[in-house]
Amino acid sequence: MKFSISAKGIKRLTISSGAGAGGGAAEDVSLKIPSKPASGRRITARTAIPAALVLGTLLPFLFVRIAIFVLESASVRSSFDCGGWRFFSGADRSLKLRDELTRALMEANEGNDDIGAESFNELVKEFTSKQDLKTFAFKTKAMLLQMEHKAQLAKQQESVYWHLASQGIPKSLHCLSLNLVEEYAVNAIARSRLPSPEYATRLIDPNFRHLVLLTDNVLAASVVVASAVQNSANPEKLVFHIVTNKETYTPMHAWFSTNSIESAVVEVRGLHQYDWSAEVNAGIKDMLDINHLIWKHYHSKEKDLNYSQDHNRYLDTLRPSSRSLMNHLIIYLPKLFPDLKKIVFLDDDVVVQQDISSLWELDLNGKVSGSVFRSWCGNGCCSAGTKYMDYLNFSHPLISSSFNGNRCTWLYGMNIFDLEAWRNTNITEIYHHWLKLNLKSGLELWNPGLLPPALIAFEGQVHSINSSMLVTDLGHRHGAAEISRERVEAATVIHFAGPAKPWLEISFPEVRSLWSQYVNFSNKFTRRCGIITG
């Protein structure tokens, strides 16, 4: 094969080849290239080939640099637009579109529920076909408001279900009570006297530290007692007074008789064992009747509760504490224990994690109660939703003329009560007086619940306790999630206030173990009934 190029102006190109491997005839192909008039300067092969090589190397690099330059220019232009430097007409169009869309959204009627499209994608397709910005804005706002309404409604329904779930008695607790009733009937030890006669004098001895529980929950009471004893520096100084209703008296007595605590004294009394005056009985009946009317009033309005404070009031009536006689009897503590001078009151949904002996040495400065306030820097710095105005209706003149709405509320759950000082006041009478005023005012003076009327009755009679002694709201989702584990573990007492009680399946696993570690799982009845293990 021969390849030849004419040296002068590339006028002739000749390609010839000999016989191929197959013996084919030789071919001679000639291509004539017409010559051009000579220019001022000839480009020879010697200069053309190196130039092509240089261009082949530089062109990709130049392409990349130009592309980067273009992208940088676009970025600079965008930043100039944001700073108000409008050098490009596209920026003006973008700002104009934004202003028009904003104005259309502001003018859209919130009551317009006629969306038409079933999804946002369909809405966008409709807009791109019709190019009607105002209609698009109206329908977009209507869709967003409808979604917000559905989200709020779902959130409300979830909270209602949580509170309803907290009202039921778990099968395991029902099983425990039934087994203990049977044990009381067949086992003489389960019927033995509480406390034994040699410790009876401790029940009224002021040298001992008296703790009071008002509860109808056997398992919860056992945890409170066990946690307080195990974490006490001097458990032999503790005397527990457990008051329960007639239905729970038998299983409660059977439990503490067969699971006796050697280092402490436990007394179990039923309400049917008290011989109260007719005046006290009438007062308790009035109190229960009024609270039943409150419950009935808000439950009848269930279908009308949307986005208003009434929904929170409705939830308050769903709390088991709102209808429980045991919880309302707090206001009658001086009548329940006429021979005692000072007591520590504990709710049945608390766990005592440290020694609480210091509470009995606390100087209340002549006040009736020592309680933890919902404040992080004194009475002037209340946590969100914990002021008087969040519990009492300050739009009513009876409330606004009598109380300061910016004051911080205090907490039930762990309280020290000077019963002698209480007897020298008219706290219980004030409580009943305001209950009747609330009834006459159409139940509009405060939100349902135990605390609002107590805030009124104990006004000026509560001494502040160090807030690190009590951590509460562990039965609420926000409480279990937002309170740090370190703070919970450092607290002297933790309170599972809220619907998610630790003995329920809806309780939160991250804090349930702090309660379940004090459950007596070695007891044959807790094992047989499948008590929750945390």
Side-chain angles (χ1 to χ4, degrees):
M1 176 179 180
K2 183 172 67 175
F3 176 76
S4 62
I5 300 176
S6 172
K8 294 182 179 181
I10 315 181
K11 296 179 180 179
R12 183 181 181 84
L13 176 64
T14 303
I15 301 174
S16 63
S17 61
E27 297 182 356
D28 188 357
V29 179
S30 296
L31 178 62
K32 291 184 179 181
I33 301 176
S35 60
K36 294 183 179 180
S39 60
R41 183 174 181 182
R42 289 182 181 175
I43 299 178
T44 63
R46 184 175 295 179
T47 59
I49 294 176
L53 293 175
V54 173
L55 289 174
T57 303
L58 293 178
L59 283 176
F61 174 75
L62 290 174
F63 176 78
V64 172
R65 290 300 301 164
I66 291 171
I68 293 175
F69 176 77
V70 171
L71 292 175
E72 288 177 346
S73 298
S75 176
V76 170
R77 182 179 64 185
S78 176
S79 63
F80 282 174
D81 288 343
C82 293
W85 293 35
R86 304 185 183 98
F87 290 107
F88 300 91
S89 60
D92 291 332
R93 288 195 298 269
S94 177
L95 291 175
K96 184 178 180 181
L97 178 62
R98 184 195 65 185
D99 293 341
E100 289 180 359
L101 183 59
T102 302
R103 184 167 54 254
L105 286 172
M106 295 298 293
E107 294 175 356
N109 182 10
E110 293 189 6
N112 183 12
D113 295 328
D114 184 17
I115 300 175
E118 295 183 358
S119 66
F120 188 75
N121 288 336
E122 292 183 11
L123 186 61
V124 172
K125 289 180 181 179
E126 182 180 344
F127 166 69
T128 53
S129 62
K130 296 182 179 180
Q131 298 291 321
D132 187 352
L133 180 61
K134 190 171 184 179
T135 301
F136 175 74
F138 272 55
K139 291 188 175 183
T140 300
K141 188 169 185 177
M143 179 174 287
L144 292 175
L145 290 174
Q146 190 178 83
M147 291 171 60
E148 181 184 9
H149 176 83
K150 290 181 178 179
Q152 291 183 1
L153 184 60
K155 187 176 181 180
Q156 288 182 355
Q157 289 176 342
E158 181 194 27
S159 61
V160 169
Y161 295 151
W162 272 75
H163 281 78
L164 289 175
S166 69
Q167 294 187 10
I169 300 176
K171 180 181 178 180
S172 57
L173 295 189
H174 188 64
C175 169
L176 179 64
S177 293
L178 290 178
N179 278 272
L180 288 171
V181 168
E182 182 181 2
E183 187 74 5
Y184 186 89
V186 300
N187 188 348
I189 296 177
R191 299 189 301 272
S192 61
R193 183 176 175 182
L194 280 178
S196 56
E198 62 267 27
Y199 298 121
T201 58
R202 294 188 183 184
L203 297 179
I204 57 174
D205 192 336
N207 295 316
F208 287 84
R209 293 159 183 163
H210 299 270
L211 300 96
V212 171
L213 285 84
L214 308 178
T215 179
D216 55 3
N217 188 320
V218 176
L219 186 64
S222 71
V223 168
V224 175
V225 173
S227 63
V229 170
Q230 291 183 34
N231 294 295
S232 174
N234 299 290
E236 69 280 357
K237 300 288 289 183
L238 300 180
V239 178
F240 293 91
H241 303 268
I242 300 176
V243 179
T244 188
N245 55 26
K246 186 176 182 179
E247 293 77 15
T248 315
Y249 171 76
T250 298
M252 189 78 74
H253 190 283
W255 175 271
F256 285 102
S257 295
T258 56
N259 296 275
S260 60
I261 301 173
E262 296 180 0
S263 55
V265 170
V266 178
E267 175 195 29
V268 177
R269 294 190 69 181
L271 291 177
H272 59 287
Q273 296 174 330
Y274 284 88
D275 186 17
W276 283 336
S277 66
E279 180 183 358
V280 173
N281 284 328
I284 293 175
K285 184 179 184 303
D286 286 344
M287 178 178 64
L288 292 178
D289 289 343
I290 292 174
N291 281 284
H292 179 72
L293 288 174
I294 294 173
W295 177 86
K296 187 176 180 180
H297 172 72
Y298 285 102
H299 274 251
S300 66
K301 298 168 60 177
E302 177 184 357
K303 295 182 180 179
D304 301 325
L305 303 178
N306 285 314
Y307 313 116
S308 66
Q309 191 180 17
D310 280 345
H311 178 72
N312 293 328
R313 293 183 178 185
Y314 172 65
L315 292 181
D316 288 334
T317 63
L318 289 178
R319 295 178 181 177
S321 60
S322 296
R323 300 187 66 191
S324 172
L325 169 62
M326 308 311 304
N327 288 287
H328 290 293
L329 284 176
I330 295 174
I331 201 67
Y332 280 95
L333 283 173
K335 299 290 185 182
L336 288 168
F337 303 100
D339 299 318
L340 296 181
K341 297 181 179 180
K342 184 178 286 189
I343 63 169
V344 167
F345 171 78
L346 296 174
D347 268 346
D348 63 1
D349 55 351
V350 306
V351 172
V352 181
Q353 299 187 131
Q354 298 178 26
D355 182 55
I356 56 175
S357 301
S358 60
L359 290 176
W360 283 272
E361 275 71 41
L362 183 66
D363 184 5
L364 298 180
N365 296 318
K367 296 184 178 180
V368 172
S369 172
S371 306
V372 172
F373 280 75
R374 287 181 176 268
S375 171
W376 53 271
C377 63
N379 288 340
C381 302
C382 311
S383 304
T386 60
K387 295 182 179 181
Y388 270 47
M389 66 177 63
D390 299 308
Y391 291 84
L392 306 178
N393 179 16
F394 277 83
S395 64
H396 199 287
L398 281 175
I399 298 295
S400 59
S401 62
S402 304
F403 308 101
N404 178 7
N406 289 316
R407 289 195 59 185
C408 299
T409 59
W410 45 270
L411 296 166
Y412 271 138
M414 178 198 71
N415 310 86
I416 175 77
F417 289 113
D418 186 338
L419 297 184
E420 281 192 322
W422 191 335
R423 294 184 186 102
N424 294 326
T425 68
N426 57 349
I427 288 176
T428 305
E429 291 75 15
I430 292 174
Y431 185 90
H432 277 280
H433 173 71
W434 279 92
L435 280 181
K436 294 176 180 177
L437 283 179
N438 189 36
L439 184 61
K440 292 179 181 179
S441 302
L443 306 175
E444 296 298 328
L445 295 186
W446 58 73
N447 293 346
L450 292 174
L451 188 57
L455 293 175
I456 295 175
F458 284 93
E459 175 72 7
Q461 293 288 349
V462 183
H463 177 76
S464 178
I465 296 177
N466 191 323
S467 60
S468 65
M469 292 197 69
L470 179 66
V471 168
T472 189
D473 290 338
L474 296 185
H476 290 286
R477 181 169 298 168
H478 68 87
E482 295 176 4
I483 302 174
S484 67
R485 182 78 178 194
E486 293 76 16
R487 184 185 167 199
V488 171
E489 293 178 347
T492 304
V493 175
I494 56 175
H495 188 194
F496 289 84
K501 302 301 183 186
W503 53 83
L504 300 176
E505 292 184 1
I506 62 173
S507 60
F508 305 109
E510 56 267 27
V511 292
R512 183 194 303 152
S513 60
L514 297 173
W515 177 86
S516 61
Q517 63 179 314
Y518 296 103
V519 174
N520 183 4
F521 291 111
S522 63
N523 182 273
K524 61 181 180 180
F525 298 133
T526 57
R527 294 198 309 269
R528 182 185 302 173
C529 294
I531 299 297
I532 192 168
T533 60

